[in-house]
Amino acid sequence: MTQHWQDHYQRWMTFAHLDPELRAQLDSLRDDPHTLEDCFARPIAFGTGGMRGELGPGINRINLYTVRKAAAGLARYVTAHGKAAMEAGVAIAYDSRHKSRTFAVESANVLGWYGIRVHLFDRLCPTPLLSFAVRHLGAFAGIVITASHNPPEYNGFKVYGADGGQITPATADMLLRHMEEAGDELRIETADESSLRASGLLRSLGDELLKAYLEQLHRRRIPPAVQPAGDPVRIVFTPLHGTTYEAITKGLDAFGYRHVTVVREQADPDPSFSTVSSPNPEEHHAFDLAIQYAKTVGADLVLATDPDGDRLGVAVKHPQGDYVVLTGNQTGALLLHYLLSQKQRSGALPANGVVLKTIVTSEMGRAIASDFGLATVDTLTGFKYIGEKLGEFEKTGAYTFQFGYEESCGYLMADIVRDKDAVQAALFIADACACHKAEGRSLYDALLQLYDRYGYYREDLHAITCRGKDAMAAIVSTLSRLRSRPLTEIAGKKVAVVEDYLTGKRRNIALGTTDLLTLPKTDALKYVLDDASWFCVRPSGTEPKIKLYVGVKGDSLKEADTKLATLKQAVGHLFQTP
């Protein structure tokens, strides 16, 4: 034991009011010094996504005390902005994970102790509904207790700003300073929930928020011009034990979809996510049960959401009768083209419309947007940057937002929220399915038509887990080498453009020019090749991994898949570790 973390351990063990469950967990770790040290070696990281980690005792875990300290940091930040901010208050939501409601109530009690008004959801709530609530209520900030699609042993504390978007890096830094000033996590002061309710500082949010949210979506809907005659759209939906059951079933009903089958084994909230190995709709196995249902009812569309309801996965029927799980880029292309074509048909497409996507999202979106006369603006990876850019254009009037998406199954159509939204994406992809079915096509057929029109774009992601300091050092060394001696050729193709997001420079090799990038600086490199293929390398912001994104364009699916496999292998070789 080093003295530093041993002191923290002793402080926790001798704290008279330590939660009994956490005390028992600490006792059980006496014979596991490595885990015990990790629990106390350093405070849990707090960034633009708030904090996320494993549940358990210690300052490097998610527990009653680290959550209280985060809430105290937010409380001090709110009070520093004055009485108006305190009265506007903080909206709090939570998902279906272990301890989520407990942590939500504890956060409310801490904020209430500081005299800050709290709007607490009275049931499980999807993250996008929290974003909507912050904007709808005029709250100063928002909290979601969630770990998104991480494994069951994780939870987290996610903070939103007054615009309904995830906090910026500058705000995260200020919150961290306030957390540090809040002092000992074991001695954070809290109020009593019943007393806060009696005083009016704590109020519950219920049906009225979901109703208002769905009404806003309905106003922004452009229904398909023709509905399927005599053959309704059949939908299978699974919330994967998460938060979206009520929102999506009510939403589909409000949009007129009556033939919806919910996967009963995955309908109820379950913090252990017992029927899936991972509750992540990006992964095909998450659809196993839903596709069984789809085959039984002859579904046209299969929908799956992650636990906190911000990511939507989609599977569609293949002409040969099986079901195909779409990538986030494919679903994004279908949604984008449907929305723009319907707006164009109805005369609602603005001349200064813009599509927002991340630097690692398919270039197919840019091709579709351009076909409709719209601009495309890239952001850094992370939907907070899309939300931030949306807000900027709203203020300046430079562009009118039409659609935002990222390759990891995150989409935003109606700007009533400032984050990716699986609920609205589910409703609008149902409309797209109905539109194509009325014209004799499946969504799979529609995707093939888009490929025929715009080119066969294919993308993939490969993540390398860094095990041990030597592996991470090798990857850091490779990134450093690429910056000092940039690639000129890979996979038989010449490099045309290099974008270094750490230095903020874009170098066009063919033209011999260097421009400044307008994005915030981050540790990432992107290479565009002379055949329009590209790859991007960036360290993960939440895990000890390096992420390698690749994208290609071909004249057929077969050619595109071959190019993708070749480029992916070549890029992977750059980062082979000992």
Side-chain angles (χ1 to χ4, degrees), residues 67 100 155 268 301 436:
V67 166
S100 282
N155 212 328
D268 293 334
L301 178 64
H436 290 295

Side-chain angles (χ1 to χ4, degrees), residues 187-222:
R187 301 184 185 277
I188 300 296
E189 298 281 0
T190 68
D192 176 70
E193 180 184 357
S194 59
S195 298
L196 291 175
R197 290 189 183 279
S199 70
L201 276 179
L202 175 58
R203 59 167 292 208
S204 293
L205 301 177
D207 293 339
E208 72 279 4
L209 258 296
L210 179 57
K211 181 180 179 182
Y213 167 83
L214 292 177
E215 286 175 350
Q216 289 291 332
L217 283 185
H218 209 279
R219 290 177 189 173
R220 286 161 171 75
R221 182 192 189 198
I222 303 177

Side-chain angles (χ1 to χ4, degrees), residues 321-559:
D322 207 346
Y323 287 83
V324 178
V325 178
L326 302 181
T327 68
N329 284 313
Q330 290 171 330
T331 298
L334 286 166
L335 279 167
L336 175 59
H337 189 270
Y338 168 73
L339 289 167
L340 298 187
S341 62
Q342 294 304 301
K343 287 186 176 183
Q344 187 179 68
R345 172 184 62 80
S346 65
L349 191 64
N352 70 335
V354 67
V355 172
L356 301 174
K357 72 176 191 66
T358 72
I359 58 174
V360 296
T361 300
S362 175
E363 287 299 302
M364 190 173 187
R366 194 185 310 276
I368 294 172
S370 178
D371 191 31
F372 284 88
L374 270 61
T376 299
V377 173
D378 286 343
T379 72
L380 293 181
T381 304
F383 220 90
K384 58 181 171 286
Y385 295 110
I386 290 178
E388 188 177 31
K389 186 62 70 173
L390 191 167
E392 174 190 321
F393 292 153
E394 186 178 64
K395 291 177 181 177
T396 64
Y399 291 108
T400 302
F401 173 78
Q402 300 300 300
F403 186 71
Y405 76 121
E406 60 184 4
E407 91 298 336
S408 55
C409 297
Y411 319 99
L412 181 64
M413 287 119 305
D415 63 356
I416 59 175
V417 303
R418 286 291 188 272
D419 204 351
K420 52 186 176 285
D421 186 343
V423 180
Q424 61 172 270
L427 306 189
F428 283 98
I429 198 68
D431 275 353
C433 184
C435 178
H436 290 295
K437 186 170 184 176
E439 297 176 358
R441 291 184 297 273
S442 68
L443 278 177
Y444 188 84
D445 296 330
L447 179 63
L448 293 181
Q449 285 189 351
L450 293 182
Y451 280 144
D452 286 341
R453 181 167 182 171
Y454 298 107
Y456 291 81
Y457 290 83
R458 298 288 276 172
E459 299 81 23
D460 202 358
L461 163 65
H462 176 54
I464 300 175
T465 299
C466 306
R467 303 191 185 282
K469 64 178 182 179
D470 291 340
M472 192 64 202
I475 286 174
V476 170
S477 175
T478 303
L479 281 169
S480 177
R481 175 173 53 80
L482 287 173
R483 286 193 166 97
S484 62
R485 289 180 288 151
L487 288 174
T488 58
E489 183 177 318
I490 189 170
K493 304 295 180 182
K494 291 184 177 180
V495 174
V497 175
V498 181
E499 295 179 344
D500 188 339
Y501 301 98
L502 189 60
T503 64
K505 294 181 180 179
R506 181 179 189 271
R507 189 162 64 93
N508 190 314
I509 297 173
L511 298 178
T513 59
T514 299
D515 303 314
L516 295 178
L517 297 168
T518 59
L519 300 175
K521 291 185 179 181
T522 190
D523 191 8
L525 284 166
K526 185 173 182 179
Y527 292 80
V528 182
L529 310 185
D530 59 7
D531 66 343
S533 299
W534 59 270
F535 71 92
C536 184
V537 182
R538 74 175 185 90
S540 170
T542 57
E543 302 169 280
K545 293 180 178 179
I546 190 83
K547 292 190 173 183
L548 312 177
Y549 302 83
V550 294
V552 302
K553 179 184 178 183
D555 294 326
S556 67
L557 277 178
K558 183 177 180 181
E559 182 192 22

Side-chain angles (χ1 to χ4, degrees), residues 161-361:
D163 63 347
Q166 296 178 40
I167 57 172
T168 64
T171 301
D173 288 343
M174 284 189 281
L175 283 174
L176 182 57
R177 288 197 296 272
H178 283 297
M179 284 173 60
E180 292 168 347
E181 292 168 359
D184 186 348
E185 68 278 350
L186 297 177
R187 301 184 185 277
I188 300 296
E189 298 281 0
T190 68
D192 176 70
E193 180 184 357
S194 59
S195 298
L196 291 175
R197 290 189 183 279
S199 70
L201 276 179
L202 175 58
R203 59 167 292 208
S204 293
L205 301 177
D207 293 339
E208 72 279 4
L209 258 296
L210 179 57
K211 181 180 179 182
Y213 167 83
L214 292 177
E215 286 175 350
Q216 289 291 332
L217 283 185
H218 209 279
R219 290 177 189 173
R220 286 161 171 75
R221 182 192 189 198
I222 303 177
V226 180
Q227 295 290 334
D231 187 14
V233 171
R234 291 174 173 80
I235 300 170
V236 167
F237 163 56
T238 172
L240 295 178
H241 303 297
T243 60
T244 59
Y245 176 84
E246 182 182 22
I248 287 183
T249 54
K250 286 186 175 181
L252 288 171
D253 184 69
F255 271 42
Y257 296 102
R258 305 286 186 258
H259 294 75
V260 178
T261 302
V262 179
V263 178
R264 59 181 179 273
E265 296 92 337
Q266 298 171 337
D268 293 334
D270 175 5
S272 298
F273 308 113
S274 54
T275 67
V276 289
S277 57
S278 171
N280 184 356
E282 293 179 80
E283 299 180 13
H284 291 195
H285 61 72
F287 282 84
D288 289 348
L289 266 177
I291 287 176
Q292 291 179 28
Y293 273 71
K295 290 178 179 178
T296 300
V297 303
D300 303 290
L301 178 64
V302 185
L303 306 173
T305 56
D306 68 343
D308 72 323
D310 59 2
R311 297 174 192 243
L312 176 76
V314 173
V316 297
K317 197 170 186 178
H318 190 276
Q320 295 179 353
D322 207 346
Y323 287 83
V324 178
V325 178
L326 302 181
T327 68
N329 284 313
Q330 290 171 330
T331 298
L334 286 166
L335 279 167
L336 175 59
H337 189 270
Y338 168 73
L339 289 167
L340 298 187
S341 62
Q342 294 304 301
K343 287 186 176 183
Q344 187 179 68
R345 172 184 62 80
S346 65
L349 191 64
N352 70 335
V354 67
V355 172
L356 301 174
K357 72 176 191 66
T358 72
I359 58 174
V360 296
T361 300

